[in-house]
Amino acid sequence: MKFGYFDDLRKEYVINTPRTPYPWINYLGNQGFFSLISNTAGGYSFYMDARLRRITRYRYNNVPLDMGGRYFYINDNGTVWNPGWSPVKTELDEYECRHGMGYTIIKGKKNGLKAEVTFFVPQNYDGEVQQVVLTNESTEAKSFSIFSIAEWCLWDAQDDCTNFQRNFSTGRVEIEGSTIYHVTEYRDRRNHYAFYTVNDEIDGYDTDRDAFLGSIYNGWDNPETVKADKPSNSFADGWSPVASHYKKVTLAPGESKTLIYILGYAENPQDKKFASEKPEGLLTRETWVLNKEKAYAMIDKYNTPEKVAAGLDELKTTWNKLLSIFKVDTPDDKVNRMVNIWNQYQCMVTFNLSRSASYFESGIGRGMGFRDSNQDILGFVHQIPERARERLIDIASTQLSDGGCYHQYQPLTKKGNADIGGDFSDDPLWMILSVAAYIKETGDWGILDANVPFDDDPDGKHTMLEHLDVSFYHIVNNLGPHGLPLAMRADWNDCINLSCFSDTPGESFQTYTNPKFKAEGGYSKVAESAFVAALFTYTGPAYVGILEHLGKADEAAKAQAEIDKMKKNTMESAFDGDWFIRAYDANGEKMGSKECEEGKIFIEPQGFAVMSEIGKDVGADIKTLNSIDKYLNCEFGLVLNNPAYTKYYIQYGEISTYPGGYKENAGIFTHNNAWIICAEAYAGRGDKAFEYYSKIAPAFTEETSDIHKTEPYVYGQMIGGKDAKNFGQGKNSWLTGTAAWNMVAISQYILGVKPEFDGLRVDPSIPAAWDGFTATRQFRGDTYEITIKNPDHVNKGVKSLTVDGAAVDGCIVPVAGDGKTHKVEVVLG
Ligand code: GLC
Ligand code: GLC
């Protein structure tokens, strides 16, 4: 069952009922100001950091789930309704929500009155523009009123939802004309404020939430002022400040009126915080006056429909440009839709927000993850490489000089999060991968010389290359009894915690270490990760390639020897006959082996081991891939492990606490499905790669949206596995490494267009049934128009490759570097 459809021409997903199985959301903003917006206009806004600089409030674990946001209420002669149906939920005569690239349009119609609201955050602008077009489509004149509402968060979202004894007394506002300013704590310790305005005279307002609702017993579905068609002109004094505008409108038949609301954020320099005079008509209870110059300028920027149209055009142009860097035309519309539009769009969102703020991530829990953000870059780097570069430097600056990493950092402070700490064994490797991806995309070798400090030596002069060195050797220097990397607190799978042995409620599996390992430095020196071993052998060659390019032959050879040794150790101690084991636990027992009672096979190490060609000479790669197909493949994707754990295995940590089929205990973790898709494509099995791709790619699951539940235009992190009661049900949509990795899987492995240090590799691994496809790739200033022909209907194998008609050996298109368009023709066979 579907709840809408793709409008590919407009790059929109069109939702045609407000009753989606879960709120289906979109993200507005891609620089500093961000909003989440659901198909019923729920959500919230923040600046830079969803925890530390929250602008509007959101209630966690709420019932109903999607309640609170910015709403418009219309009172049309006693009938009260919202253009997005919620919160009043008056049945609408027409409803539609269009989620596009950085904007959302919600349309509602009731009793001949149509309200179309366009929400977007313009480029280089710290505010959300909401354009409301009201049209009287009836045959009679209509007089009605419209109320807006936004509830302020008192800036720190964590504090806002806990520290009521203080916060109920601090709220402050100012009102000037049609603009309501939120200035809580401004006088003392903050230099930022927010405002909500409309480009017309208003007929009343409210700034106190309980006054707007009329009673503390009312919810957003039942505001007294709206029902009574009478604002209370309340002035907030502590409690919960809000901003609501009241406007009366009369429209002749066929007539329209446009109102433009702006929810904005601004910062003032310390010496310009206050205005010297109190203007006539300003409503305030303070003896000081906010300097509003920035707000005035922001309001002026979008106070007419023409300016709004220009802002929206600019946003669309930006996106069209971003999406023209890589474009494909394959025989499958769903592939085209994912690659050309939605997967790339999601990559921008995950790049921006890591795992911080979604309808599954509260925005107060985590900042930017070290491993997460590095992986996000893999899918995003071609879009805006300069931003990827900046991010790489920020992330690397939180690294420690021994190669260890803070697992997370706050985007506002850019400091490592000491509560979570470090010692996640995989973290450093992802940085090698992301820096290499950046260089491969841009050819900017200069990044290696960039001055990047270490967290424990903030003033020292260090280069990015040093960060790569210590990252690589952090693995080499922390090996266990089998010569495999120590597992430490966790190793990508946050729920495999081999040093925990936790038996007390409330202990965090990621940060709690059993006292028995304290003396050993915090984690077991026996527990080893076969996954990190495989990730090391997959990632290592990029590091070697960098050293070779720099002419550091000795260091390259030394690093290569470590990779070779790791491959040997992995084959000797971690190959289980038909697949690779997952780990050795702290007792030195195998995890993820056929010897185990449950959890005999895990997905994570396999893909990277196959792509590293560990044991390829004895057929380990194909055996491994066949085992995955046999034990992990099911209708909705590949489960993470099998059989699911049915008991609590204290030696494994969090993983076995989940009911079978959910999350890391045999759920379909789409993120690592991508690694197998890559591996199948790498091994030349394009049909299998495509089968796995199409099981989890959202455009393919659209038809079963009732089962899948989450948005059909973006990946979720998880789908209920075959052991789950809710088999096939998605969770944790939007902020997942799946976005980047599946972009890599489809573009670089299946379609096979892959940046390398010395050119653009074109080596597809596609379904044999395809006659071929075409692609356009902008790369280092040139444009490549690529045509793939598959006359023999093979999966993989470049028979010939020409660039502008001239034959090229192998499958790497050399960098032309002339800024021109080049024709690349590849014949498979
Ligand atoms: C709050 C605090 C308390 C303090 C009082 C006065 O009630 O919990 O510790 O004494 O405020 O500041
Ligand atoms: C979540 C985390 C990611 C981790 C994964 C598996 O997606 O953000 O860092 O690798 O879960 O546990």
Side-chain angles (χ1 to χ4, degrees), residues 354-355 361 366 369-373 375 407-408 424 426-427 430 490-496 510 604 640 663-664 669 671-672 675 717 732 735-738:
S354 189
R355 309 296 170 267
E361 298 282 8
R366 319 195 222 186
F370 192 95
R371 76 157 82 91
D372 297 330
S373 291
Q375 290 174 81
H407 197 47
Q408 292 166 8
F424 289 73
D426 59 322
D427 274 341
W430 300 112
D491 72 355
W492 178 86
N493 190 326
D494 275 330
C495 301
I496 297 182
Q510 281 76 46
E604 297 106 312
L640 190 143
K663 279 197 42 86
E664 283 87 338
F669 226 86
H671 184 156
N672 53 41
W675 302 337
Q717 178 210 50
N732 204 354
L735 302 183
T736 164
T738 314

Side-chain angles (χ1 to χ4, degrees), residues 73-344:
Y73 295 84
I74 289 168
N75 185 330
D76 180 4
N77 288 300
T79 305
V80 174
W81 58 281
N82 310 101
W85 179 63
S86 188
V88 176
K89 291 190 277 181
T90 298
E91 231 27 76
L92 298 177
D93 300 335
E94 282 173 27
Y95 162 89
E96 187 184 81
C97 168
R98 288 178 172 264
H99 285 317
M101 305 286 105
Y103 65 90
T104 287
I105 303 170
I106 294 178
K107 280 184 236 179
K109 187 174 162 185
K110 183 77 188 168
N111 298 340
L113 177 63
K114 195 168 102 184
E116 173 171 327
V117 192
T118 303
F119 302 88
F120 74 108
V121 173
Q123 287 294 99
N124 307 307
Y125 190 76
D126 294 330
E128 177 183 304
V129 175
Q130 309 160 349
Q131 176 169 268
V132 183
V133 181
L134 299 156
T135 308
N136 179 2
E137 294 189 342
S138 79
T139 49
E140 326 243 298
K142 260 188 183 295
S143 289
F144 59 92
S145 60
I146 177 165
F147 291 77
S148 69
I149 183 80
E151 185 183 14
W152 302 117
C153 178
L154 306 184
W155 307 120
D156 179 330
Q158 166 85 42
D159 186 74
D160 182 70
C161 65
T162 47
N163 195 9
F164 308 117
Q165 62 87 21
R166 169 174 160 81
N167 296 339
F168 284 170
S169 299
T170 58
R172 290 177 168 170
V173 299
E174 280 186 22
I175 307 170
E176 185 178 41
S178 302
T179 308
I180 297 161
Y181 291 87
H182 178 219
V183 291
T184 300
E185 283 204 333
Y186 181 82
R187 185 195 61 191
D188 321 311
R189 297 187 299 176
R190 296 184 181 272
N191 64 349
H192 50 87
Y193 62 95
F195 63 90
Y196 194 32
T197 190
V198 58
N199 70 336
D200 207 337
E201 303 229 319
I202 52 176
D203 301 302
Y205 58 86
D206 268 289
T207 66
D208 178 78
R209 186 191 66 206
D210 298 336
F212 174 76
L213 294 175
S215 155
I216 58 157
Y217 298 101
N218 286 358
W220 297 111
D221 58 338
N222 192 24
E224 199 59 48
T225 48
V226 179
K227 266 200 318 194
D229 199 16
K230 198 171 180 311
S232 58
N233 296 337
S234 58
F235 196 96
D237 200 20
W239 293 108
S240 292
V242 295
S244 172
H245 308 93
Y246 173 71
K247 175 85 193 151
K248 288 194 214 164
V249 183
T250 300
L251 293 178
E255 197 191 349
S256 283
K257 177 165 184 70
T258 300
L259 291 168
I260 300 161
Y261 297 80
I262 298 171
L263 178 67
Y265 169 89
E267 292 175 358
N268 279 336
Q270 195 57 30
D271 58 345
K272 297 213 172 83
K273 278 178 70 166
F274 305 103
S276 47
E277 278 171 41
K278 182 175 166 207
E280 194 69 26
L282 177 77
L283 300 178
T284 177
R285 297 216 167 123
E286 314 297 336
T287 52
W288 50 274
V289 176
L290 169 71
N291 171 4
K292 305 179 181 64
E293 292 305 323
K294 288 203 174 159
Y296 296 156
M298 283 178 72
I299 293 167
D300 186 58
K301 198 133 193 242
Y302 291 108
N303 58 357
T304 68
E306 294 71 32
K307 293 179 189 175
V308 169
L312 203 53
D313 263 5
E314 189 191 7
L315 181 67
K316 287 184 182 170
T317 306
T318 302
W319 270 107
N320 287 342
K321 267 197 203 140
L322 289 173
L323 296 176
S324 64
I325 297 167
F326 183 55
K327 273 201 305 208
V328 297
D329 187 5
T330 77
D332 193 318
D333 282 348
K334 293 179 176 134
V335 172
N336 301 341
R337 177 175 290 157
M338 288 313 309
V339 175
N340 295 338
I341 308 171
W342 291 99
N343 197 352
Q344 297 208 52

Side-chain angles (χ1 to χ4, degrees), residues 671-684:
H671 184 156
N672 53 41
N673 278 223
W675 302 337
I676 306 304
I677 299 168
C678 295
E680 286 284 5
Y682 183 86

Side-chain angles (χ1 to χ4, degrees), residues 23 97 242 266 318 324 327 332 352 419 433 440 482 655 707 779 783 796:
C97 168
V242 295
T318 302
S324 64
K327 273 201 305 208
D332 193 318
N352 285 332
D419 294 345
L433 208 56
K440 288 176 180 178
H482 300 89
I655 184 165
I707 300 171
F779 181 63
T783 302
K796 191 176 195 229

Side-chain angles (χ1 to χ4, degrees), residues 497-699:
N497 321 104
L498 303 180
S499 300
C500 246
F501 292 83
S502 174
D503 58 8
T504 304
E507 283 164 357
S508 152
F509 288 102
Q510 281 76 46
T511 58
Y512 176 72
T513 300
N514 197 285
K516 69 180 173 191
F517 299 116
K518 277 247 160 74
E520 296 184 41
Y523 46 85
S524 159
K525 294 283 155 62
V526 170
E528 297 168 292
S529 167
F531 166 76
V532 179
L535 183 64
F536 178 79
T537 57
Y538 173 80
T539 309
Y543 175 61
V544 172
I546 287 171
L547 294 173
E548 280 169 350
H549 177 92
L550 299 176
K552 297 177 185 273
D554 292 351
E555 287 178 44
K558 191 175 145 217
Q560 185 58 49
E562 295 295 348
I563 298 169
D564 295 341
K565 196 157 73 187
M566 188 73 80
K567 284 190 183 179
K568 187 166 166 283
N569 294 348
T570 307
M571 197 55 202
E572 275 173 16
S573 306
F575 190 62
D576 210 29
D578 289 302
W579 60 82
F580 293 86
I581 65 163
R582 181 66 179 80
Y584 283 97
D585 68 20
N587 303 318
E589 306 281 342
K590 287 180 184 168
M591 178 189 195
S593 150
K594 55 178 182 256
E595 295 163 22
C596 300
E597 195 191 323
E598 302 184 303
K600 289 171 187 286
I601 171 170
F602 276 73
I603 198 169
E604 297 106 312
Q606 320 301 342
F608 292 121
V610 169
M611 289 187 279
S612 305
E613 304 188 355
I614 298 177
K616 185 175 180 211
D617 49 338
V618 293
D621 57 343
I622 300 301
K623 278 187 193 165
T624 297
L625 291 173
N626 288 345
S627 299
I628 291 169
D629 195 8
K630 188 162 168 198
Y631 298 110
L632 304 182
N633 191 10
C634 63
E635 189 186 344
F636 297 110
L638 303 170
V639 298
L640 190 143
N641 56 302
N642 187 70
Y645 292 116
T646 60
K647 300 179 225 165
Y648 179 43
Y649 294 81
I650 195 167
Q651 70 273 29
Y652 295 160
E654 186 170 355
I655 184 165
S656 62
T657 65
Y658 290 106
Y662 295 109
K663 279 197 42 86
E664 283 87 338
N665 185 14
I668 297 163
F669 226 86
T670 49
H671 184 156
N672 53 41
N673 278 223
W675 302 337
I676 306 304
I677 299 168
C678 295
E680 286 284 5
Y682 183 86
R685 310 198 320 172
D687 283 307
K688 260 291 151 204
F690 195 75
E691 176 197 325
Y692 295 159
Y693 175 77
S694 55
K695 280 188 174 173
I696 59 166

